[in-house]
Amino acid sequence: MTNPRNTTVLISGASVGGPALAYWLTRHGFAVTVVERAPALRAGGQAVDVRVPALEVADRMGLAAELRAHGTGMRGMTMYDGAGTELYSTTGHTLTGGDLDSPDVEILRDDLARLLAGAAGGDVEYLFDDSITAVEQDGHGVRVTFENAAPRSFDLLVGADGLHSNVRRLVFGPEEEFISHLGTYLAVFTAPNFLDLDHWQVFCQAGDFGGGMMSARDNAEARVYIGFATPDPIAYDYRDVAAQKRILAERYADAGWEFPRALSYMWDAPDFHFDSMSQIRMDSWSRGRVVLLGDAGYCGSPLSGQGTSMAMVGAYVLAGELKAAGGDHEAAFANYQRELGGYVAANQRLALTNKARVEAQTAAAAGGEAAEVDFQDFGDITNGLVLKDY
């Protein structure tokens, strides 16, 4: 940095965007603290896709080879209908990762988080098993109160804490002002590889219900995906895991195919995650000395397939703009949103296109009339940002 101001940064969230940002900020000379509600880096989560230009970010971090080494290694997939009849099998693409001959890397979310945190190094301070309870800011800094740690002041605060961002709620307002429900809920959890899948995934779509499983960690286990469609949001506590499991069990009480076996492993799964497919849309990603990163500020939903890439690219750009502005947060935050705004908007539209595609396919399978969908060019959108050098 050319200007020593605004050198201490608190990041809330240690999934993907938080550790990636910690790496770049530390490299640019900032002192970084990360606060994370979980007692350690969280295990579990779905397989995520690292696509261009996020692959370029990983390469600039020196992580490209490790990232590929930890890829899921999928060879293909099989799709079934609700009666268990095979609809098709393919070695050309998978439901979770897309085209298998693309340069993209599919990796388990927890493996990626571990690689990013490791790259950031020992200079990053972590406050695990803690959370922010209050934020006060003025022209000189941000005063943060924690659940467990003593209050502290930082120059800047970054909310990288996901769809249900605590920082966004405290600083920008209630979640309801920014969230857009896309009509689907999805659960992900780890189970034994009870179908003996060999780098393969199987899925079943039956009306408003659907899901499947994929082998993971060289077939030693499986990741299960089970979801359902509902036009209106459902009321539940997103921290009450037991209640979420009951919701899923009730919805799938009469399900066929392999869903009963999969759900039998849900009750003891240590990494069960359940949430809505939703987007976050905000006019501004910053307020004063506080800025949002990734899903906290511009979630595209898993329907976009781009949440991980937007978080990694966002981390690179945010840190780079802070460096370029010499720590001038007002200029940096404005340039950060200006640089990424079009890329984010295109990826959020992509989620809506993908939703329409699924609905059209479901209607056609049911014998109904499928609406025509103006499909966007996936590659043009996912690869549509050229990274600056900072």
Side-chain angles (χ1 to χ4, degrees):
M1 290 186 297
T2 59
N3 190 320
R5 60 179 170 168
N6 292 341
T7 57
T8 62
V9 183
L10 174 65
I11 302 171
S12 177
S15 183
V16 172
L21 180 63
Y23 170 90
W24 289 109
L25 286 177
T26 301
R27 180 176 177 178
H28 295 328
F30 294 83
V32 179
T33 299
V34 178
V35 59
E36 167 58 47
R37 180 181 296 278
L41 294 176
R42 289 189 298 110
Q46 64 197 73
V48 297
D49 301 304
V50 183
R51 311 186 196 275
V52 179
L55 278 172
E56 186 175 345
V57 173
D59 187 48
R60 295 185 185 193
M61 296 175 73
L63 287 178
E66 279 191 277
L67 193 143
R68 293 190 181 279
H70 286 83
T72 61
M74 289 290 102
R75 299 185 299 109
M77 66 165 290
T78 303
M79 178 66 76
Y80 296 88
D81 66 13
T85 301
E86 181 179 320
L87 299 177
Y88 66 85
S89 286
T90 177
T91 56
H93 69 272
T94 64
L95 195 65
T96 63
D99 292 339
L100 294 179
D101 61 355
S102 77
D104 304 337
V105 176
E106 183 182 56
I107 184 172
L108 297 179
R109 187 213 61 82
D110 44 357
D111 284 346
L112 177 60
R114 180 175 49 81
L115 290 176
L116 293 171
D123 290 335
V124 178
E125 176 190 18
Y126 282 90
L127 302 176
F128 285 111
D129 198 22
D130 211 342
S131 182
I132 299 171
T133 58
V135 176
E136 297 178 6
Q137 58 174 319
D138 57 27
H140 302 288
V142 184
R143 179 73 171 173
V144 177
T145 304
F146 299 96
E147 286 185 358
N148 298 317
R152 290 170 60 179
S153 293
F154 300 86
D155 293 319
L156 303 173
L157 169 61
V158 181
D161 43 358
L163 176 66
H164 304 295
S165 171
N166 184 42
V167 171
R168 187 184 63 235
R169 177 182 60 83
L170 290 171
V171 177
F172 296 81
E175 180 175 293
E176 293 74 20
E177 296 182 7
F178 311 107
I179 195 166
S180 176
H181 176 59
L182 299 185
T184 303
Y185 284 82
L186 179 67
V188 183
F189 56 92
T190 298
N193 187 5
F194 61 91
L195 294 179
D196 294 324
L197 300 172
D198 181 9
H199 295 91
W200 199 263
Q201 54 185 244
V202 291
F203 279 87
C204 171
Q205 183 66 40
D208 292 337
F209 300 89
M213 54 223 69
M214 59 182 286
S215 62
R217 306 201 186 285
D218 289 329
N219 305 326
E221 62 186 39
R223 291 283 165 96
V224 177
Y225 300 74
I226 299 181
F228 58 86
T230 178
D232 299 313
I234 59 177
Y236 71 98
D237 183 347
Y238 68 87
R239 293 200 179 98
D240 189 341
V241 174
Q244 295 163 23
K245 290 180 179 179
R246 290 194 296 271
I247 290 172
L248 200 63
E250 290 169 2
R251 293 272 178 165
Y252 274 78
D254 300 319
W257 189 59
E258 297 290 347
F259 290 126
R261 291 179 67 188
L263 288 169
S264 71
Y265 295 107
M266 171 185 69
W267 302 105
D268 294 324
D271 57 359
F272 180 88
H273 177 76
F274 175 85
D275 214 334
S276 66
M277 297 275 202
S278 297
Q279 293 188 340
I280 296 295
R281 294 175 176 269
M282 306 181 70
D283 293 333
S284 176
W285 304 337
S286 63
R287 179 164 294 177
R289 293 175 170 271
V290 181
V291 66
L292 302 174
L293 170 66
D295 283 357
Y298 38 89
C299 179
S301 90
L303 283 168
S304 73
Q306 281 287 88
T308 296
S309 291
M310 285 197 289
M312 291 180 64
V313 171
Y316 173 82
V317 173
L318 176 56
E321 294 296 345
L322 280 167
K323 174 195 175 186
D328 180 345
H329 64 283
E330 292 181 353
F333 293 169
N335 291 336
Y336 159 61
Q337 184 156 350
R338 186 178 303 114
E339 185 72 16
L340 284 184
Y343 175 69
V344 164
N347 281 295
Q348 290 190 321
R349 289 194 300 270
L350 178 63
L352 302 181
T353 297
N354 289 338
K355 180 177 183 291
R357 178 188 286 112
V358 171
E359 291 171 347
Q361 292 171 341
T362 301
E369 184 176 349
E372 293 186 7
V373 180
D374 182 15
F375 294 132
Q376 298 165 283
D377 189 312
F378 182 76
D380 287 348
I381 295 171
T382 58
N383 304 338
L385 179 70
V386 177
L387 296 180
K388 291 168 59 175
D389 292 323
Y390 291 104

